[in-house]
Structure formats: structure tokens, C-alpha cells
Amino acid sequence: MEGYREEIWDRKRIKEERDNFLGRFKNFLILDIETVKDESMIDEISDPKVLRKLEEEENYFIPHPYHRIVAISILSIKMDKNNGSPVLKKASFETFVSEDEYLLLDRFWSEYKKAHTIVCPEGKQPFISTFPVLITVNGKDFDMPVIKLRSLKYADRIKESFFISIYLDRFDKWEQKYPRYSYAYTNYHIDIPVDIFNKKVSLKNLCYLCGIPVKTEGDGSQVERYFKDGQLEKIGKYCSEDVKATAVLFSFINRYFLQGMYLFPDGEEILKIDPQIKVL
């Protein structure tokens, strides 16, 4: 057609567009939480519907506000480039377990802050140069909503509460310079089942399909028993295994599905990073 100029989307152009769009994503935060029923809240609220369901259904999944957090595992990764190749600049893998939920949430928001790159020029105000991309499995629907809800209980005590507000900021509609973490389609939170496969899928099933081993320390149904028995380190190990498997899974997807679209370490490098499990 005369006067019509078709865009040429060859391999080089596609790669350039990806690099231009994703080049700012150098920090990643992979996370998972473990929870038990908040028995005191269930008793005090006495919601008839919840009480009835608990009585009638053995495996009833209680509403989000009633999930008391007992463990949070966080793998923070900061990347760089060397001659165009991804280089792991810094990694921190910590898992916190406690009977005191406040201590866990206070540490979470502190670690979330550390996952940002904050520049402190001499004689000037510090500023954030790089925001982290969250990576989870079903974290948009569960982990982050529960973290926010339960943080409400301790909002006046959380030291890094300014970073809760950063998580909730929405003023950059198109995320050209600033994230909108709570936006369902944000570029700053990759929830693997939803954002890659458009379907809720368990971590165990995804890892099986990729040949990634998971779970040597119990399963989710045992967390409540471990907690009641005071076996906090077992919960921490279980939570850590989920986070490491999630990171290796994303590395596999990034390599084979996304053709290295994200600046992210390979699976073998991630497997070498061991968690520090801390009982608070």
C-alpha cells in the first residue's frame, strides 16, 4: 500500500526494546511467608460465618486478616552488567521466625527498604536510584495482602513505616519513573503463576514441570503443628526452601521462556546462596 510503512520487528529490534524497557530493573526481592490461624482474633471477632466454616470444614482457608504471620523469608538480589552480561552484585538471604509477629513485620519493612538502592551524595539528600521488583508465587493474592493487613496492627510501631507508604504510592500512572506496587498489573511485582501463566498454579507443580526439586522439610499443613510444638527453625527452613525454589524457578523461566529478558542470576548461582535462619 502506497505511503504505508510497516514496523520492522526483527530480533535485534525486539532485544533493543526489551533492554530499553527492562534496563532499570536491577534489584529483586523474592519472598514468602508462613502463617497460622490467629486464634485470639477468631475468638474476639466471633464472625458467625468464619466460626461455622471452621467447624464444618477441616481444611477451611480462613480470610486474610485472620492469618498470623510466623515466618518471613526474603532473598534480596542486586544485579549489574559487565560487557553486557548479568553480574550478581549483592545477595542477602534471610529468614525470620518468631512468636512475636511485630518483630517479623518490622524486619520485613526494614529488609524491603534495604532492597532499594539508596544513593547518598555528599552534602545532598539521599534518594532512591533503583526500586526492587518483587517475585512471588501467589504473592499478589496472599503474601502481600496479608503482610499489609497484619502490619496495620503494628502500624504505630514499625520503624520503616515510610516504606509502607512507598509501597502504596500510585502517582506515576504508567510507572515511567516510579512503581505502583499495589496495582494489579505493575511491572514491579512478578507473581509467576498470574503474570507468566495467567493461572493460579502451586509452586510444587511449577517446579515439577521444570525439574526443580522442592520441599524436604514438611509441608504447609504442618506449619501450625510445628508452631504449637515450638519447632520454629523447621518453619524457617520450610519457608526458605520455598523462596529458593521460587528464585530458581524464575531464573529457569527467564532463561528459556523470556530469553534472558531480565537481568537475573542463573539457577546454579542461586543454589549457592544459603539462607540465614534467625529466630527472633
PDB file of all heavy atoms in Angstrom, residues 1 17 107 124-125 147 155 157 160 166 198 225 238 242:
ATOM      1  N   MET A   1       0.863  -1.190   0.000  1.00  0.00           N
ATOM      2  CA  MET A   1       0.000   0.000   0.000  1.00  0.00           C
ATOM      3  C   MET A   1       0.893   1.233   0.000  1.00  0.00           C
ATOM      4  O   MET A   1       1.799   1.358   0.816  1.00  0.00           O
ATOM      5  CB  MET A   1      -0.897  -0.012   1.240  1.00  0.00           C
ATOM      6  CG  MET A   1      -1.897   1.136   1.278  1.00  0.00           C
ATOM      7  SD  MET A   1      -2.804   1.206   2.834  1.00  0.00           S
ATOM      8  CE  MET A   1      -3.676  -0.346   2.771  1.00  0.00           C
ATOM      9  N   GLU A  17      14.306  -3.121  22.340  1.00  0.00           N
ATOM     10  CA  GLU A  17      13.112  -2.649  23.048  1.00  0.00           C
ATOM     11  C   GLU A  17      13.050  -3.249  24.455  1.00  0.00           C
ATOM     12  O   GLU A  17      12.690  -2.570  25.415  1.00  0.00           O
ATOM     13  CB  GLU A  17      11.847  -3.007  22.269  1.00  0.00           C
ATOM     14  CG  GLU A  17      11.678  -2.249  20.960  1.00  0.00           C
ATOM     15  CD  GLU A  17      11.446  -0.756  21.176  1.00  0.00           C
ATOM     16  OE1 GLU A  17      10.846  -0.385  22.208  1.00  0.00           O
ATOM     17  OE2 GLU A  17      11.859   0.033  20.314  1.00  0.00           O
ATOM     18  N   ARG A 107      10.933  -6.305  60.706  1.00  0.00           N
ATOM     19  CA  ARG A 107      12.096  -6.703  59.913  1.00  0.00           C
ATOM     20  C   ARG A 107      11.769  -6.733  58.427  1.00  0.00           C
ATOM     21  O   ARG A 107      12.607  -6.394  57.583  1.00  0.00           O
ATOM     22  CB  ARG A 107      12.607  -8.081  60.363  1.00  0.00           C
ATOM     23  CG  ARG A 107      13.260  -8.087  61.734  1.00  0.00           C
ATOM     24  CD  ARG A 107      14.459  -7.163  61.836  1.00  0.00           C
ATOM     25  NE  ARG A 107      15.612  -7.612  61.103  1.00  0.00           N
ATOM     26  CZ  ARG A 107      16.615  -8.309  61.627  1.00  0.00           C
ATOM     27  NH1 ARG A 107      16.600  -8.656  62.905  1.00  0.00           N
ATOM     28  NH2 ARG A 107      17.650  -8.667  60.898  1.00  0.00           N
ATOM     29  N   LYS A 124      24.050  16.295  50.051  1.00  0.00           N
ATOM     30  CA  LYS A 124      22.695  16.323  49.485  1.00  0.00           C
ATOM     31  C   LYS A 124      21.826  15.262  50.157  1.00  0.00           C
ATOM     32  O   LYS A 124      22.307  14.369  50.858  1.00  0.00           O
ATOM     33  CB  LYS A 124      22.744  16.072  47.976  1.00  0.00           C
ATOM     34  CG  LYS A 124      23.444  17.167  47.202  1.00  0.00           C
ATOM     35  CD  LYS A 124      23.384  16.901  45.702  1.00  0.00           C
ATOM     36  CE  LYS A 124      24.083  18.008  44.921  1.00  0.00           C
ATOM     37  NZ  LYS A 124      24.034  17.760  43.455  1.00  0.00           N
ATOM     38  N   GLN A 125      20.526  15.371  49.927  1.00  0.00           N
ATOM     39  CA  GLN A 125      19.586  14.420  50.487  1.00  0.00           C
ATOM     40  C   GLN A 125      19.721  13.054  49.803  1.00  0.00           C
ATOM     41  O   GLN A 125      19.889  12.984  48.586  1.00  0.00           O
ATOM     42  CB  GLN A 125      18.150  14.927  50.303  1.00  0.00           C
ATOM     43  CG  GLN A 125      17.771  16.104  51.204  1.00  0.00           C
ATOM     44  CD  GLN A 125      17.651  15.684  52.663  1.00  0.00           C
ATOM     45  OE1 GLN A 125      17.226  14.585  52.979  1.00  0.00           O
ATOM     46  NE2 GLN A 125      18.048  16.581  53.554  1.00  0.00           N
ATOM     47  N   ILE A 147       0.616  -9.361  54.548  1.00  0.00           N
ATOM     48  CA  ILE A 147       1.647  -8.506  55.150  1.00  0.00           C
ATOM     49  C   ILE A 147       1.087  -7.110  55.418  1.00  0.00           C
ATOM     50  O   ILE A 147       1.287  -6.537  56.507  1.00  0.00           O
ATOM     51  CB  ILE A 147       2.894  -8.431  54.247  1.00  0.00           C
ATOM     52  CG1 ILE A 147       3.674  -9.750  54.332  1.00  0.00           C
ATOM     53  CG2 ILE A 147       3.803  -7.261  54.640  1.00  0.00           C
ATOM     54  CD1 ILE A 147       4.809  -9.876  53.330  1.00  0.00           C
ATOM     55  N   ALA A 155       1.082  -0.641  63.111  1.00  0.00           N
ATOM     56  CA  ALA A 155       1.470   0.499  62.269  1.00  0.00           C
ATOM     57  C   ALA A 155       2.185   1.606  63.044  1.00  0.00           C
ATOM     58  O   ALA A 155       3.088   2.261  62.514  1.00  0.00           O
ATOM     59  CB  ALA A 155       0.242   1.066  61.568  1.00  0.00           C
ATOM     60  N   ARG A 157       4.202   1.248  65.431  1.00  0.00           N
ATOM     61  CA  ARG A 157       5.478   0.782  65.995  1.00  0.00           C
ATOM     62  C   ARG A 157       6.504   0.414  64.924  1.00  0.00           C
ATOM     63  O   ARG A 157       7.696   0.284  65.223  1.00  0.00           O
ATOM     64  CB  ARG A 157       5.229  -0.446  66.883  1.00  0.00           C
ATOM     65  CG  ARG A 157       4.346  -0.157  68.085  1.00  0.00           C
ATOM     66  CD  ARG A 157       3.903  -1.454  68.746  1.00  0.00           C
ATOM     67  NE  ARG A 157       5.035  -2.270  69.193  1.00  0.00           N
ATOM     68  CZ  ARG A 157       4.939  -3.565  69.492  1.00  0.00           C
ATOM     69  NH1 ARG A 157       3.782  -4.198  69.376  1.00  0.00           N
ATOM     70  NH2 ARG A 157       6.005  -4.222  69.880  1.00  0.00           N
ATOM     71  N   GLU A 160      10.274   1.472  59.852  1.00  0.00           N
ATOM     72  CA  GLU A 160      10.406   1.940  58.462  1.00  0.00           C
ATOM     73  C   GLU A 160       9.029   2.110  57.816  1.00  0.00           C
ATOM     74  O   GLU A 160       8.822   1.719  56.664  1.00  0.00           O
ATOM     75  CB  GLU A 160      11.261   0.959  57.659  1.00  0.00           C
ATOM     76  CG  GLU A 160      12.685   0.819  58.153  1.00  0.00           C
ATOM     77  CD  GLU A 160      13.499   2.099  58.046  1.00  0.00           C
ATOM     78  OE1 GLU A 160      13.032   3.054  57.364  1.00  0.00           O
ATOM     79  OE2 GLU A 160      14.586   2.164  58.636  1.00  0.00           O
ATOM     80  N   ILE A 166       5.708   4.089  50.519  1.00  0.00           N
ATOM     81  CA  ILE A 166       6.304   3.937  49.185  1.00  0.00           C
ATOM     82  C   ILE A 166       5.653   2.769  48.459  1.00  0.00           C
ATOM     83  O   ILE A 166       5.342   2.853  47.263  1.00  0.00           O
ATOM     84  CB  ILE A 166       7.831   3.753  49.283  1.00  0.00           C
ATOM     85  CG1 ILE A 166       8.473   5.094  49.620  1.00  0.00           C
ATOM     86  CG2 ILE A 166       8.411   3.183  47.986  1.00  0.00           C
ATOM     87  CD1 ILE A 166       9.972   5.074  49.728  1.00  0.00           C
ATOM     88  N   ASN A 198      -0.955 -16.771  33.681  1.00  0.00           N
ATOM     89  CA  ASN A 198      -2.355 -16.320  33.756  1.00  0.00           C
ATOM     90  C   ASN A 198      -3.269 -17.330  34.442  1.00  0.00           C
ATOM     91  O   ASN A 198      -4.428 -17.495  34.077  1.00  0.00           O
ATOM     92  CB  ASN A 198      -2.909 -16.004  32.359  1.00  0.00           C
ATOM     93  CG  ASN A 198      -2.037 -15.023  31.617  1.00  0.00           C
ATOM     94  OD1 ASN A 198      -1.363 -15.394  30.667  1.00  0.00           O
ATOM     95  ND2 ASN A 198      -2.021 -13.786  32.046  1.00  0.00           N
ATOM     96  N   ARG A 225       1.276 -27.120  63.356  1.00  0.00           N
ATOM     97  CA  ARG A 225       1.744 -28.090  64.367  1.00  0.00           C
ATOM     98  C   ARG A 225       3.161 -27.753  64.807  1.00  0.00           C
ATOM     99  O   ARG A 225       3.474 -27.801  66.002  1.00  0.00           O
ATOM    100  CB  ARG A 225       1.684 -29.501  63.788  1.00  0.00           C
ATOM    101  CG  ARG A 225       2.176 -30.572  64.773  1.00  0.00           C
ATOM    102  CD  ARG A 225       1.892 -31.974  64.270  1.00  0.00           C
ATOM    103  NE  ARG A 225       2.576 -32.256  63.025  1.00  0.00           N
ATOM    104  CZ  ARG A 225       3.848 -32.630  62.951  1.00  0.00           C
ATOM    105  NH1 ARG A 225       4.596 -32.725  64.055  1.00  0.00           N
ATOM    106  NH2 ARG A 225       4.402 -32.886  61.781  1.00  0.00           N
ATOM    107  N   TYR A 238      11.507 -24.528  56.063  1.00  0.00           N
ATOM    108  CA  TYR A 238      10.440 -24.760  55.081  1.00  0.00           C
ATOM    109  C   TYR A 238      10.198 -23.495  54.246  1.00  0.00           C
ATOM    110  O   TYR A 238      10.124 -23.546  53.021  1.00  0.00           O
ATOM    111  CB  TYR A 238       9.164 -25.171  55.821  1.00  0.00           C
ATOM    112  CG  TYR A 238       7.936 -25.276  54.955  1.00  0.00           C
ATOM    113  CD1 TYR A 238       7.674 -26.433  54.229  1.00  0.00           C
ATOM    114  CD2 TYR A 238       7.039 -24.221  54.861  1.00  0.00           C
ATOM    115  CE1 TYR A 238       6.556 -26.538  53.436  1.00  0.00           C
ATOM    116  CE2 TYR A 238       5.902 -24.319  54.065  1.00  0.00           C
ATOM    117  CZ  TYR A 238       5.668 -25.472  53.364  1.00  0.00           C
ATOM    118  OH  TYR A 238       4.553 -25.562  52.563  1.00  0.00           O
ATOM    119  N   ASP A 242      11.008 -22.607  50.027  1.00  0.00           N
ATOM    120  CA  ASP A 242      10.050 -22.030  49.082  1.00  0.00           C
ATOM    121  C   ASP A 242      10.659 -20.853  48.330  1.00  0.00           C
ATOM    122  O   ASP A 242      10.479 -20.704  47.118  1.00  0.00           O
ATOM    123  CB  ASP A 242       8.788 -21.565  49.817  1.00  0.00           C
ATOM    124  CG  ASP A 242       7.720 -22.636  49.865  1.00  0.00           C
ATOM    125  OD1 ASP A 242       7.951 -23.735  49.323  1.00  0.00           O
ATOM    126  OD2 ASP A 242       6.643 -22.378  50.435  1.00  0.00           O
TER     127      ASP A 242
END
